[in-house]
């Protein structure tokens, strides 16, 4: 019997936080047909950024991975708040990850694996594997280390 996503989260010891509210003129989630677009989420825990600074300078690649994992948890919190349940997710379609990178850091893909691995562990191969990009940037809002946005396909 397949475990639902919220039971899988509990099994992994992950409690979804209260999702952060937008800090600008946008919405956290918007739906177009059966696709839900989730605005970029940072590595905040209880509203406080856990990881700040440049990966490869202030933070290790491993810390960047954990930062991206927290972004993934916050993405799921936004979706649960918007949909009422994660059971409506048919497919994680795409992740777009941004890494606040030192000039000579080239491990962005390994950093964003923190969120990708989380989706795979919760939703499995068929639903959780997605397309994505991992982009190195010179800075992010509030000097956070990572920010990730997501597109999911949902049931009616």
């Amino acid at each position: 019997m397949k475990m639902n996503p919220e039971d899988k989260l509990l099994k992994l010891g992950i409690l979804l936080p209260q999702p952060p509210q937008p800090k600008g003129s946008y919405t956290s989630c918007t739906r177009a047909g059966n696709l839900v677009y989730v605005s970029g989420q940072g590595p905040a825990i209880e509203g406080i950024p856990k990881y700040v600074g440049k990966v490869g300078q202030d933070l290790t690649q491993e810390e960047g991975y954990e930062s991206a994992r927290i972004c993934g948890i916050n993405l799921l919190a936004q979706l649960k708040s918007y949909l009422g349940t994660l059971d409506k997710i048919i497919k994680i379609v795409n992740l777009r990850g941004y890494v606040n990178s030192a000039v000579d850091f080239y491990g962005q893909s390994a950093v964003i694996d923190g969120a990708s691995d989380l989706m795979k562990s919760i939703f499995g191969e068929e639903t959780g594997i997605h397309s994505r990009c991992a982009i190195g940037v010179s800075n992010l809002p509030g000097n956070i280390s990572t920010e990730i946005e997501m597109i999911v396909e949902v049931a009616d």
Side-chain angles (χ1 to χ4, degrees):
M1 183 170 162
K2 187 176 177 183
M3 193 177 294
N4 76 34
E6 292 174 47
D7 288 342
K8 186 68 173 181
L9 282 164
L10 288 175
K11 184 177 178 187
L12 294 170
I14 300 170
L15 295 174
L16 293 180
Q18 190 68 22
Q21 296 300 306
K23 294 185 176 165
S25 299
Y26 64 93
T27 184
S28 297
C29 295
T30 191
R31 185 172 177 162
N34 283 356
L35 296 178
V36 175
Y37 295 77
V38 186
S39 293
Q41 299 296 303
I45 297 175
E46 296 182 12
I48 299 167
K50 168 96 171 145
Y51 293 100
V52 295
K54 295 188 179 302
V55 179
Q57 177 180 306
D58 308 309
L59 301 167
T60 66
Q61 182 172 296
E62 293 74 21
E63 289 170 316
Y65 178 97
E66 288 302 317
S67 176
R69 186 173 187 277
I70 294 168
C71 292
I73 291 168
N74 288 331
L75 287 162
L76 294 174
Q78 290 291 356
L79 278 169
K80 175 150 187 206
S81 176
Y82 184 76
L83 298 170
T85 178
L86 298 179
D87 287 337
K88 293 182 181 178
I89 295 172
I90 295 171
K91 177 78 178 156
I92 306 297
V93 176
N94 181 268
L95 293 182
R96 183 169 295 149
Y98 303 92
V99 181
N100 186 356
S101 300
V103 173
D104 59 350
F105 180 74
Y106 305 104
Q108 290 83 6
S109 186
V111 167
I112 300 304
D113 278 346
S116 293
D117 291 348
L118 176 70
M119 298 306 158
K120 180 181 169 187
S121 69
I122 293 166
F123 296 99
E125 295 275 336
E126 189 173 319
T127 302
I129 298 292
H130 48 272
S131 65
R132 75 158 205 220
C133 62
I135 304 166
V137 296
S138 63
N139 56 56
L140 287 168
N143 199 30
I144 58 175
S145 55
T146 54
E147 182 175 347
I148 303 175
E149 57 185 294
M150 180 164 69
I151 303 169
V152 299
E153 180 185 10
V154 296
D156 288 331

